[in-house]
Amino acid sequence: MDTLILLIFAVVGAVLASVMACVPALHIYNVAGLLIMAGGWLSGWMSGEQMAMFFLGLITGYAILNTIPSIFLSSPDDSMIFIVLPGQKYLLQGRGYEASILTGVGSLAAIAGMVVLSPFAMSVFPALRSILSPHLGWIVAVVIVFMLMSEWPKSSDRQPTPWGRLAEAWTGLGAGLLTFLLSGLLGFALMYRSLVPTEISFQNLLPAFVGLFAIPWVMLNIVGRVQIPKQHIATSIDVTPALIARGTFAGTLGGGFAAFFPVVTGGIGGFLAGHATAQRDDRLFILSQGASKIVYYVGGFLLFFVPGLGMTRGGMAWMLSTVYQAGTPRVYFTAMAAVALAGAAAFLMLFPLTRLVIKLLEKVNYQWISAGTLVILIGLVLALTGWGGLLIALVATGIGILPVVWGSRRMNCMGVLLLPISLNMAGVGPTVAHWLGLI
C-alpha cells in the first residue's frame, strides 16, 4: 500500500507538470524551488519520500510536455534549443502536431530503455564515477573546444574578393565566439556577485536563461510577423521501429552523457550525439532530442536514487537533497516504477494539450501570442527574482540576440555555465574572478 501511494504521488506530479509545462518559460525547477521553500507547509501533506516521488513525477511530466511551448510558442530552454529548429520547420509546414508527438515517442522510448537498464545502474555507475572523476576537468574542456570548433563558416560566396569572403565567413564564427565569451562573463558575475537576493538564490540562473534563450526568440517572432499555417492533426506518424530505435539510441547516448557529467546540458549532449551518430533525417533528429531531454532531466535526477553512488545532478536533485536522502534499492526501484507510470501519464496528456494549443493558435494572432509570451517571461522574472533579476535578463537578452542576428549557434550561450564552472574545475576560476573585479 505504501508503494502504491508513492506511485500515485508521482502520477499526480506528472499530470500537474504537464499542464504547467505549457506555460512559456515556467521551468519546473522554479516550481520545485518554491515548493522547497514551503517545506513547513508541505510537511503536513507529504513525507520526504512522497515528496521525492512527487518531484520525480514533476520532472518527468515537464521533460515530455515542455516541447509544446518550445515548438508552438517559441520559448525554448537550454535543453530544447536544437529541437526547436526542426520543430519550427514542421510547424511552418502545418505539421507541428506531428513534431510534438514524435518528441513524445522519443521520450517514452527512452524511459522504456532506462527501465530495462535500471538493474545494472547500481554496479555500473559507481564504478564509472570512480574511473572518470579525476578526469572531469579536461573532459568538459574538450567538450567546449569541440563545440566552438564545430561552428561551421557560413558564406554565400558572393563577395568579389577572397578577403571579403573570408570576412563574411568569419562573421558568424566571430559572433559565436563573442556570444560564448560574453555569456561566460555573465556567468562569472552571477556566480560571484549576483543581483538576485540570497534568499532566492536557487532562482539565480532563471533570468539569465530566459534572456539568453527565450526572449530573443519571442522578439524575433514579433518583429518577423511569422504566419502560422493551419495545423494538420495527424492520425499516424511517419516512422518505423528501426528509426525509433536509432533515434532513441542517439538521444539516450547524448542525454546520458549530459546527465552524468557536470555542466553539460541536454542540448549539448544531443549535439554531441548527433555528431557521433551522423543524424541527417529530421524525424530521427526530433526523436533523438525527445530521448535526450528525458534522459538528461529524468536520468540525471534518478542518479540521486542509485544506491552507493551519491550523485546529485541537476537542480531538482540539489533541491531535494536539502530535505531528503535516498540510497536503498527499494527506493531506487520504486523511483524507476514511478518514472515509468509518470511517463505514460504525461505521454497521454501530450495529445489533448497539443491540440488545445493548436486551437489557441487558430483563434489568436501569432504576434499577439508572442507578445503575451513576452509579458509572461518578463512577469515571471520580475516576480521570482525582483528588479535585479530583470536587469540580468536584460543583459542576457542583449547577448542572446547576437546568434539571432548573425546566424551563429544559440548553443554558444551556454558559456554562461561552461566557462565559469570549467575554469573553477581547473582551479583558476577565483583568479579570473579577481581579474574581473568580482572578488
Side-chain angles (χ1 to χ4, degrees), residues 22-74:
C22 296
V23 179
L26 182 60
H27 202 293
I28 204 64
Y29 288 173
N30 307 131
V31 176
L34 294 175
L35 291 176
I36 291 291
M37 288 182 65
W41 174 77
L42 281 178
S43 61
W45 290 84
M46 62 181 76
S47 65
E49 198 170 68
Q50 290 169 345
M51 182 183 292
M53 297 303 138
F54 181 69
F55 277 17
L56 266 173
L58 286 178
I59 194 67
T60 304
Y62 174 81
I64 293 177
L65 271 293
N66 73 337
T67 186
I68 294 178
S70 298
I71 291 176
F72 293 96
L73 304 177
S74 295

Side-chain angles (χ1 to χ4, degrees), residues 100-111:
S100 180
I101 303 305
L102 275 173
T103 308
V105 169
S107 298
L108 201 62
I111 289 176

Side-chain angles (χ1 to χ4, degrees), residues 319-397:
M319 286 183 284
L320 183 63
S321 66
T322 62
V323 296
Y324 174 76
Q325 289 296 323
T328 65
R330 181 191 70 83
V331 173
Y332 169 65
F333 286 113
T334 302
M336 286 303 312
V339 168
L341 286 176
F347 182 72
L348 292 176
M349 294 284 289
L350 182 64
F351 294 86
L353 289 174
T354 302
R355 289 195 292 267
L356 184 63
V357 172
I358 289 174
K359 287 184 179 179
L360 176 66
L361 288 173
E362 291 174 348
K363 295 182 178 180
V364 184
N365 183 277
Y366 195 66
Q367 275 66 47
W368 284 108
I369 293 178
S370 299
T373 301
L374 182 60
V375 171
I376 292 174
L377 293 171
I378 295 173
L380 282 173
V381 171
L382 185 59
L384 294 177
T385 61
W387 292 101
L390 195 60
L391 181 59
I392 293 171
L394 180 62
V395 174
T397 299

